Amino acid sequence: MDLKTLIRDIPDFPKPGIVFRDITTLLRQPEGLRATADLLREQCQGAGFAPDYIIGMESRGFMFAPLLAYQLGAGFIPVRKPGKLPGEIHSVEYDLEYGTDRLEIHQDAIEAGKTVLIVDDLMATGGTAKAAAELVGFCKAELIGFAFVIELVALKGRDCLPDVPIISLIRY
């Protein structure tokens, strides 16, 4: 299945000159969602990933990370925007294409030495994924890789990420 055919391009969103890759059209198709989840699992298994935990970043990472965690027999760890986690947190601020943001994780979310795979729907500049990797480091866990549904290659997000394997199903 050609997953690109299920993704809608929305020009000039969220600002002029940006082409937004809308995955809601992929998610609404049962075959597309199943194919995406299966392909993520196959590629992760093929890369030898056997994580203890899978991190998904708020909000669209929450759509794919739990599915993959279930398929790989791993736990799911949510990484949230500020103010949404009730316990003691680690926090990191990061740059976006159009500003800054912050991500948080519970301090006790991951035991030291456990292996972690970071999963998100899209990698653009890599800022969000890099911030999540920093949070993994704060927990003294081992980052084993990244998996993305979409990668915007021209934005060179890979260049700012740690030197671990990176999977992306669709490249623009």
Side-chain angles (χ1 to χ4, degrees), residues 9 66 144 169:
D9 293 345
I144 60 170
L169 302 183

Side-chain angles (χ1 to χ4, degrees), residues 31-161:
E31 301 83 12
L33 178 58
R34 187 173 12 284
T36 302
D38 290 346
L39 192 53
L40 272 172
R41 176 188 44 79
E42 290 166 13
Q43 296 230 358
C44 287
Q45 288 174 329
F49 293 152
D52 296 307
Y53 297 105
I54 294 182
I55 282 181
M57 287 84 80
E58 188 172 351
S59 66
R60 290 185 305 264
F62 288 3
M63 296 175 197
F64 297 103
L67 286 172
L68 188 58
Y70 172 76
Q71 290 177 312
L72 296 180
F76 167 67
I77 307 292
V79 167
R80 307 284 321 257
K81 301 279 174 91
K84 296 192 177 177
L85 294 173
E88 295 295 315
I89 58 153
H90 292 298
S91 180
V92 65
E93 187 171 293
Y94 64 101
D95 292 325
L96 296 167
E97 298 163 74
Y98 42 84
T100 63
D101 209 343
R102 180 171 290 280
L103 288 178
E104 299 177 346
I105 191 171
H106 277 130
Q107 289 181 3
D108 62 356
I110 305 168
E111 300 90 2
K114 295 292 185 176
T115 57
V116 176
L117 174 66
I118 295 174
V119 176
D120 207 356
D121 70 316
L122 181 133
M123 177 177 50
T125 63
T128 305
K130 180 182 176 189
E134 289 179 38
L135 292 172
V136 170
F138 293 160
C139 293
K140 298 184 180 5
E142 178 188 351
L143 177 63
I144 60 170
F146 295 92
F148 303 99
V149 175
I150 299 170
E151 179 179 356
L152 304 179
V153 178
L155 297 178
K156 300 183 183 208
R158 287 178 180 251
D159 294 350
C160 76
L161 298 181

